[in-house]
Amino acid sequence: MGLIGGNSLQKLIGQALPRNAPGITIGVEMTILLNDSSLLKSQAFINGAWVDADNKDVFDVKNPADGAVLASVASCGRAETARAIEAAGSALDGWRRRTARDRSSLLKAWHALMLEHSEDLAQILTAEQGKPLAEARGEIAYGASYIEWFAEEAKRIYGDTIPAPSNDKRLVCIKQPVGVVACITPWNFPNAMLTRKIAPALAAGCTVVCKPANETPLSAYAFAVLAARAGIPDGVINILNGRTQEIGETLTSSRIVRKLTFTGSTPVGKKLMAACAGTVKRTSMELGGNAPFIVFDDADIDAAVAGAIVCKFRNSGQTCVCANRILVQAGVFEEFTAKLTQAVGALKVGKGADDGVTIGPLIHETAANDVVALIDDAVAGGARVIIGGGRSGLGANFVAPTVLTNVSHEMRLFSEEIFGPVAPVFQFETEEEAIDIANNTEFGLASYFYTRDIGRIWRVSEALEYGIVGINEGIISSEMAPFGGVKESGQGREGSKYGLDDYLEIKYLCMGGIDK
Ligand code: SIN
C-alpha cells in the first residue's frame, strides 16, 4: 500500500467546517495523505461509540512543524470519564472470562491491522507529533510489536503449586487480572507508549480507560478504530481527551479503577501516586530520566559517536532514555567531541514529513523555550557552544542540534532532563569518577557506556544505579526486554516476560481436608 499515487489515495483537505458540528473528523487546515480516511477521528471512544463531549466543547490539535490545525477534538471532563470507567467496568467480566487463546487471537488481529495500516498511522503520527516519517514508521512497528508480544504472552500466564506445611493441605497460586486500568500517556511516542500499556492489560484480562496527551490524540484514536475492526469488544478499550485535571481526578479517585499506569514526568507521576493512595490503587510509573552516556578511553570511538547520535537525537531528543549527560574520559575527549560535532553537523533539521529530515520540531514553543533556557543557562555559566546553540531559524518550535563543552555539574542541564537536541559533553579521569558522576542524580532510568574491557563491562554495569544499561549500544528499547527505572524514574516494567506482572494479582488458594 503506497502512500503517494494509486487510486485509493485520498487527499484530505479539511474544509472550513463548523467546529462544533457532530462527527467532524478533520479540522480546518488539515492536509494528511491517507489511504484510509476513516482512521481519522476527533471524538472520544467510549463503550465502542465515537462521542462528542457533553457540552460539545473541542480543542485544537496542531502540527508542531507549521502550527496548522489538524483536528478539533472532543474536550471531555468528569462526566465522560465516569462513563468510560463504567463502560470498562461493565466489559470487564466478559473480557476476563474469555479464554487466553481468544484474547490472544483478538490481539493478533489488531496487530495485523496495525501493520496493514502502518503507513497511514505513521503519517498521522508525524503530522501531530512532528518526528521524521522514518522514525514514525519505526514507532508504528515498535508499538505494534508490543501487541504481538503480549498476544503471545497471554497464553503463558502460569500459576504455581507450593509444597504444603502439612499433608492434608494443597497450596496453589493463580493469577487474575487486576481489573479496570487507567492508562495516561505522553506525546513523545503517541503510539508505542499506549500499546505497551493496553496490550499487556488486555492480555491479562483487564479493560482500560486511556487518556493520551492532548497534543497527540489522533494516533490513539486511529488505532482504536483498528481495535474495533479487529473485534475487540465494546468497552474493553476506552479513550478520551480534554480537561486533563478533571480526567485525572476522576480516574484516580474511582473505586472501579484498580490500577493506574503512567508515562510522563516525575513531578506529575508523584502527584498521581499520591492521588491513587486514597483508593490504594496499584501504580506503574515510567517517569523522567537523566541518562549518563559514558565513553571510556578504550572504547571504539566511531561506534560511541554513532550510539550517541541515535541515543541523543532520536525524536529530537524528546525521549526519557535520551543521553542527557555525555561523559568522556580525558584521553579520548578531543577525538570524541570532534567526531560527534561532525556527525551532529550532518543532521538535517526540518518538517518531519519532508524527505531526508532527521530532526523535526519540538512538540511546541514552550518545549523549545525550555530547551533554549537550558542552553542559555549553561552558556551563562561558561559553556562553549561547539555547534548549534539555540533555535534553528525554521520557526519557534525548532531547536538546532547542539554540542556544548566546558560544562559543569552546577549547570541546570547536569541535573535536569533536557528533552531536546542538546548534547553537553563532560570530561572525567577515572572509572570511579565516571560512576560517581553517573549516579549523582535522583533519576535511574537508562544509562549507557562504551568500553572494550570485559572486566569493566561487569563492574560498571553492576555499579550503575539504573533500570537499563546499554553497553556499546545506544538503542535499548525492545518489546522483548524489560523497560523501566529505579529511584525517582519510576516503578514497574513494561515489555518482556515481566510486563504482564503489573496487570496481574496473585491469588493464593489453600485447600485443606485432603487426607479425610
Ligand atoms: C520514553 O521516552 O518514555 C520511551 C522511549 C522508548 O521506548 O524507547
Side-chain angles (χ1 to χ4, degrees), residues 11 17 22 25 38 52 88 97 120 158 192 238 292-293 318 321 327 342 346 378 392 409 412-413 448 470 484:
K11 187 171 186 187
L17 296 168
T25 54
S38 67
D52 289 323
R97 280 173 185 278
D120 280 354
Y158 303 125
N238 305 274
F293 185 101
Q318 302 172 112
V321 291
L327 314 177
Q342 195 181 17
S392 74
H409 300 189
R412 285 179 53 204
L413 47 62
Y448 307 83

Side-chain angles (χ1 to χ4, degrees), residues 53-70:
D54 289 358
N55 62 5
K56 306 285 182 243
D57 206 5
V58 292
F59 66 93
D60 287 342
V61 176
K62 293 183 182 163
N63 185 332
D66 55 17
V69 175
L70 297 173

Side-chain angles (χ1 to χ4, degrees), residues 343-397:
V344 169
L347 296 172
K348 185 174 171 201
V349 184
K351 294 183 178 181
D354 289 350
D355 277 350
V357 164
T358 47
I359 300 283
L362 298 195
I363 189 71
H364 42 48
E365 193 172 346
T366 312
N369 289 343
D370 290 347
V371 173
V372 171
L374 285 177
I375 299 174
D376 291 348
D377 170 77
V379 170
R384 200 172 138 224
V385 176
I386 306 297
I387 191 168
R391 284 196 161 77
S392 74
L394 289 177
N397 297 358

